[in-house]
Amino acid sequence: MEDYSAEGPTLTPVDLRTLCLSVLKENDRGNHTSPAKLYPHQWLWDSCFVAIGLRHEDPQRAALEVANLVHGQWANGMMPHMIFSKGREYRLEREAWRSWLSPFAPDKLSTSGITQPPVLADAVVKVGAKMNATDRREFYHYMYDPLVAYHTWLYAERDPHKEGLTLQIHPNEVGMDNTPPWVQQLYEHSRPWWIAMIEKLHLDPFINFIRRDTRRVNPGQRISNMEALLLWDVVRRLRRKHYDIDKILHRTLFATEDVMFNSILIRNNTQLHNIASFLKYKLPAELVANMKHTEEAIKELYDTGTKQYYSRDFITHKLIKEPSIGALMPLYAGSISKERAAELVGLLKDHKQFWLHHPVPSVPLSSKYFDAERYWQGPTWVNTNWLIIDGLERYGYKVEAADLRARTIAMVTSAGPYEYFSPIDGKGLGAENFSWTAALTIDLLAQ
Ligand code: GLC
């Protein structure tokens, strides 16, 4: 691989697009694109982002990327966050989740037992927009029932008290595995005695057996061994309950109404509406009512004291006031008032928090968790930038959107399509040749 670490932009936009396309080609597995060499398998929101970029080059292949997710969909409507590749070498990963314990899991495939942020409808709309009317109709029609089933499941299973906000049961469901609000929850509510003991006796360096990522990537750029153990333990608990939400919630230690997940849901509800009106189909009335409710309920995640949105603890109903990039995601939702959006733009442009040299860091500089290189505790990610840019555009902040777009492209140009980047010096971190970085860069270049 070439060295992209040199200072300053070294590639023209055309070169950058070619490079990004070659990354997608390298990670192409026929009917899906894996996130990187480090991650085999198909991942839910990764594939949505891949399709959003790939549509500029090959709309049919982009459509296949998201259509393939339907094979993994559970009979109850859930879209799992991972569809495992076949092959003996992945046996342990399939075993870790054992999706076959749930009566709803597909027969012919192994998947995880949780979902990921629902960006699927947005991806479907955007891919369809690149097709002629006949192909678009056919594609939307193919995706319509799975999408309705997915959004219906989100409300039926994940909003049991009809609060308008869906709950998440594992940090991986929000796609930001070690984001501080979740880490705080795990430490507070979900630490079995033996994990506490490992921590007390400082045995965590020996836990490498559950890690594959740190063999390829500098451990200082990944989640810590303690965090990995806690995440693994949550999987174990969910698996033990066969992914039955009633059993899980009956005695759960924690569940969170995540601000980023619910913001993404709001935007994707709107996109599902758009698909339905293109097809002249009528969405189920109950789903429409639930969708409206979420737009209202997101207001409850706003804290007037700090003028910020936070995730909420489903059980105590208290806001989890640990800052993260999630606070900015109501911009992408598109349902908050212009006044609130203006406050969020102010927060985004604050040099002491989010507007660093290479914005937007996954936690603000002022957070006690901030570490420029550690996964979702500081680094800048292209997918969250993309979500913010999309929101800024729709709220009419064209200048801010263009600025963030240019900075994101410049960062990828000089470092290469890495998984994430230091918000301080723009250094590429994590996996190299990362699919959603490549795909979303293609999309940003095309805007
Ligand atoms: C990590 C990320 C998650 C992503 C996955 C595959 O788990 O936190 O958001 O989907 O890797 O790229």
Side-chain angles (χ1 to χ4, degrees):
M1 157 131 194
E2 286 174 59
D3 179 19
Y4 298 106
S5 56
E7 271 295 306
T10 50
L11 299 171
T12 66
V14 176
D15 290 343
L16 180 61
R17 188 174 189 277
T18 309
L19 170 70
C20 290
L21 283 171
S22 75
V23 167
L24 295 180
K25 189 118 216 101
E26 184 180 317
N27 294 335
D28 189 348
R29 302 283 171 270
N31 54 13
H32 72 276
T33 308
S34 63
K37 276 221 189 73
L38 181 65
Y39 310 98
H41 320 302
Q42 182 169 20
W43 299 66
L44 176 55
W45 76 334
D46 295 67
S47 274
C48 295
F49 293 132
V50 163
I52 287 168
L54 210 45
R55 72 193 167 123
H56 297 287
E57 179 68 11
D58 185 349
Q60 294 303 335
R61 177 60 186 79
L64 176 65
E65 184 78 25
V66 287
N68 199 54
L69 291 166
V70 174
H71 297 300
Q73 186 166 30
W74 287 24
N76 59 2
M78 186 186 74
M79 286 278 181
H81 95 298
M82 292 172 79
I83 302 176
F84 291 111
S85 303
K86 301 200 158 119
R88 275 196 63 77
E89 65 274 38
Y90 306 124
R91 194 175 48 87
L92 283 182
E93 284 160 82
R94 293 192 292 266
E95 276 285 327
W97 286 93
R98 278 175 239 168
S99 54
W100 51 87
L101 292 173
S102 165
F104 299 115
D107 293 335
K108 297 197 175 89
L109 286 170
S110 291
T111 71
S112 71
I114 57 169
T115 191
Q116 241 182 353
V119 261
L120 185 57
D122 200 5
V124 169
V125 168
K126 289 192 161 66
V127 171
K130 288 280 167 188
M131 295 172 161
N132 65 39
T134 316
D135 289 351
R136 186 186 309 168
R137 174 166 297 281
E138 200 183 312
F139 174 53
Y140 283 2
H141 175 76
Y142 180 82
M143 294 303 297
Y144 182 74
D145 285 344
L147 275 169
V148 171
Y150 181 36
H151 285 235
T152 303
W153 170 83
L154 279 166
Y155 286 105
E157 283 219 344
R158 298 310 189 81
D159 184 14
H161 298 164
K162 301 253 168 276
E163 294 176 1
L165 296 171
T166 61
L167 62 90
Q168 287 69 53
I169 52 176
H170 189 293
N172 287 7
E173 288 205 305
V174 303
M176 304 195 292
D177 309 0
N178 65 339
T179 186
W182 279 84
V183 169
Q184 197 221 62
Q185 290 284 297
L186 290 176
Y187 268 94
E188 242 175 69
H189 303 297
S190 171
R191 215 155 42 127
W193 65 269
W194 57 273
I195 292 191
M197 185 77 97
I198 287 174
E199 189 171 32
K200 204 160 166 226
L201 299 177
H202 303 291
L203 296 175
D204 46 304
F206 300 102
I207 307 303
N208 282 327
F209 68 90
I210 56 165
R211 310 293 300 270
R212 239 166 45 109
D213 56 340
T214 44
R215 279 178 231 156
R216 283 175 183 249
V217 175
N218 178 344
Q221 298 173 13
R222 307 306 282 183
I223 65 176
S224 69
N225 275 351
M226 280 312 298
E227 288 163 357
L229 256 189
L230 289 167
L231 296 191
W232 177 77
D233 183 57
V234 182
V235 173
R236 212 176 49 94
R237 287 159 195 252
L238 300 178
R239 191 180 71 199
R240 231 176 18 212
K241 295 180 180 164
H242 297 190
Y243 305 105
D244 178 329
I245 196 68
D246 293 333
K247 290 194 188 128
I248 291 167
L249 291 182
H250 181 58
R251 286 191 52 181
T252 189
L253 298 170
F254 76 97
T256 296
E257 293 164 329
D258 186 86
V259 63
M260 172 150 113
F261 193 106
N262 282 286
S263 297
I264 290 179
L265 175 60
I266 290 175
R267 174 65 184 149
N268 281 266
N269 281 338
T270 307
Q271 293 291 49
L272 183 49
H273 260 298
N274 292 335
I275 295 170
S277 34
F278 179 84
L279 292 169
K280 302 202 171 60
Y281 294 170
K282 213 166 151 31
L283 286 169
E286 194 185 342
L287 179 58
V288 174
N290 285 332
M291 289 171 160
K292 278 216 185 79
H293 193 183
T294 309
E295 294 188 8
E296 275 307 304
I298 196 98
K299 295 180 188 160
E300 292 166 29
L301 301 186
Y302 183 77
D303 172 55
T304 39
T306 54
K307 293 194 176 357
Q308 267 196 52
Y309 290 87
Y310 296 99
S311 299
R312 186 166 76 181
D313 185 322
F314 170 72
I315 297 157
T316 64
H317 251 220
K318 288 210 175 92
L319 294 180
I320 306 163
K321 292 193 194 165
E322 189 56 66
S324 85
I325 196 169
L328 299 171
M329 290 302 154
L331 278 173
Y332 174 72
S335 65
I336 57 169
S337 67
K338 287 211 171 83
E339 292 69 35
R340 291 275 183 266
E343 280 176 13
L344 292 189
V345 175
L347 179 65
L348 169 69
K349 298 301 295 257
D350 181 345
H351 292 273
K352 295 204 175 89
Q353 300 195 60
F354 288 108
W355 204 254
L356 308 191
H357 210 62
H358 300 273
V360 182
S362 39
V363 301
L365 184 63
S366 50
S367 160
K368 63 175 188 286
Y369 282 90
F370 183 87
D371 176 339
E373 302 207 346
R374 200 179 271 286
Y375 219 45
W376 292 101
Q377 294 181 358
T380 294
W381 292 70
V382 171
N383 67 329
T384 39
N385 277 14
W386 184 91
L387 292 167
I388 292 170
I389 292 166
D390 195 74
L392 287 171
E393 280 285 347
R394 278 181 284 112
Y395 273 102
Y397 288 95
K398 306 277 175 201
V399 176
E400 289 77 1
D403 190 3
L404 184 53
R405 191 183 300 122
R407 285 167 190 262
T408 308
I409 292 171
M411 184 178 72
V412 180
T413 303
S414 59
Y418 272 85
E419 189 177 6
Y420 42 96
F421 302 83
S422 160
I424 308 282
D425 60 13
K427 183 172 128 192
L429 304 164
E432 56 179 19
N433 293 341
F434 194 68
S435 293
W436 84 38
T437 303
L440 295 177
T441 300
I442 294 171
D443 192 58
L444 293 177
L445 283 166
Q447 283 175 16

